[in-house]
Amino acid sequence: MKKIAIILLALISFVSCKNETKKEANLEENRAKSYDQNDGFITMKGEFVYDADQNAAVFESPNGTIYAVVVDENMHQLNEKVKPFKEHKYTSVPVTVRVKKSKNTNPNIKWEEALEIKDILKVEKPNPNKEDVIKLSN
């Protein structure tokens, strides 16, 4: 009787295990990542803006420091995620990203430091009551 119970338990355990296929990472999975990983990247929260006409992107940290953003595939993925929140092309969208910070080597860009986006952790809706947006009218 014990042998049958052990065989049944083993069979149930074996059948209940399933192979999970790896799927494409999304924002929810990235949010769960630890901010303390030892991979050389840092987590930054701030405002992101991309101007397609100039092919330039900037990131502003909460303390007001502005960084150039390396225009690459990850930057374009972030831009696609912020598009639904943009009211006009210069709307800055709050984001949390993991980045590699480096000195800016492009002489055409005035900011001293550049960020290369590695992971997109969070994209938030901009605050509609934010008072630092300049709107032009006649």
Side-chain angles (χ1 to χ4, degrees), residues 74-106:
N74 289 337
M75 190 283 318
H76 285 292
Q77 287 176 0
L78 178 58
N79 187 51
E80 288 302 314
K81 301 232 184 268
V82 302
K83 274 185 182 178
F85 299 113
K86 294 182 102 172
E87 294 177 12
H88 55 80
K89 74 179 188 175
Y90 294 117
T91 300
S92 61
V93 179
V95 298
T96 304
V97 290
R98 290 189 39 81
V99 299
K100 178 180 178 185
K101 192 189 296 188
S102 61
K103 291 287 182 191
N104 180 21
T105 57
N106 186 339

Side-chain angles (χ1 to χ4, degrees), residues 48-65:
F48 172 78
V49 178
Y50 173 64
D51 182 1
D53 297 335
Q54 300 291 325
N55 195 32
V58 293
F59 180 91
E60 182 178 4
S61 68
N63 67 5
T65 305

Side-chain angles (χ1 to χ4, degrees), residues 6 13 26 29 33 37 54 58 67 72 74 76 82 90 103 106 109 111 120 128 132 134 138:
I6 293 173
S13 297
N26 62 25
E29 291 172 6
K33 286 185 179 178
Q37 294 178 3
Q54 300 291 325
V58 293
Y67 301 90
D72 61 4
N74 289 337
H76 285 292
V82 302
Y90 294 117
K103 291 287 182 191
N106 186 339
I109 298 176
W111 293 283
I120 303 165
D132 64 352
I134 300 171
N138 290 334

Side-chain angles (χ1 to χ4, degrees), residues 25-45:
N26 62 25
L27 286 178
E28 293 301 320
E29 291 172 6
N30 284 340
R31 282 187 194 132
K33 286 185 179 178
S34 169
Y35 287 12
D36 298 325
Q37 294 178 3
N38 293 324
D39 54 9
F41 305 142
I42 58 172
T43 300
M44 296 185 73
K45 184 172 187 170

